[in-house]
Amino acid sequence: MSDVRPPLVIIGPRGRLVILAIACAIAAAMGIVIVLLNQQNLTALVVGVAAVGVFGVGGGYSLIGQWRRSRLLRVDDAGIRLGDGASLAWRDIDRVGVAGPALGIRLRSADAYLSQRPRGVTVESLQATRRTWSGFDIVFPERDLGMTATAASAAVRARKP
């Protein structure tokens, strides 16, 4: 019998997204009511359709994207998969630890990470992060983790084979 451990998945808090989804649904519903009750009033129709478009369609699209991006890390025997889709093999990771109030990942070499073209990440931005965050290249603040940086760091290190 093999000892297969399930991956560790760290998801940021989603409570605010749920509240925002409820608010968007209420605003879109109000827009539908305005349209249904004021079919002869052009101004009310424009306001109602705008509310449905902005809060219903636009808000829904935005919330789906934010919900997907709230998955920060997936850690398994192969390494760490970041929320942006980039993968870090354990051989490319120097250490995982606590950088003040954040979980930090120090890379042995940034080449493997940068070859995946993560959005908004450059050699310069990694160097700036390393200078700012006690030598770590990639950091996740506690407010995004939904747990303390110490607990997140211990959980990630425990998954390393």
Side-chain angles (χ1 to χ4, degrees):
M1 200 160 101
S2 66
D3 181 26
V4 178
R5 297 182 296 173
L8 167 68
V9 179
I10 297 178
I11 298 173
R14 292 178 168 170
R16 289 184 180 165
L17 291 178
V18 171
I19 292 169
L20 192 57
I22 292 168
C24 283
I26 290 170
M30 288 173 54
I32 291 171
V33 169
I34 289 171
V35 167
L36 292 176
L37 295 179
N38 297 295
Q39 294 181 4
Q40 303 304 321
N41 184 342
L42 182 60
T43 304
L45 280 173
V46 169
V47 168
V49 169
V52 170
V54 169
F55 294 105
V57 177
Y61 180 78
S62 175
L63 286 165
I64 289 169
Q66 290 178 50
W67 189 272
R68 287 181 180 163
R69 286 188 302 275
S70 66
R71 187 177 100 169
L72 302 176
L73 301 169
R74 182 181 188 276
V75 185
D76 58 22
D77 291 337
I80 300 174
R81 184 168 191 80
L82 304 176
D84 64 4
S87 294
L88 305 171
W90 286 114
R91 67 179 174 277
D92 297 327
I93 298 171
D94 184 36
R95 65 186 167 109
V96 175
V98 177
L103 167 67
I105 300 172
R106 169 84 184 240
L107 302 173
R108 283 197 169 93
S109 170
D111 296 337
Y113 178 50
L114 290 171
S115 70
Q116 298 175 54
R117 302 181 191 265
R119 187 181 333 158
V121 179
T122 62
V123 172
E124 294 80 20
S125 69
L126 285 175
Q127 290 170 343
T129 303
R130 186 175 278 196
R131 282 191 304 272
T132 305
W133 291 96
S134 306
F136 289 100
D137 299 298
I138 303 168
V139 293
F140 298 94
E142 280 184 351
R143 70 178 181 280
D144 295 342
L145 293 171
M147 65 179 78
T148 66
T150 304
S153 174
V156 171
R157 283 185 306 211
R159 264 316 258 128
K160 186 175 180 178

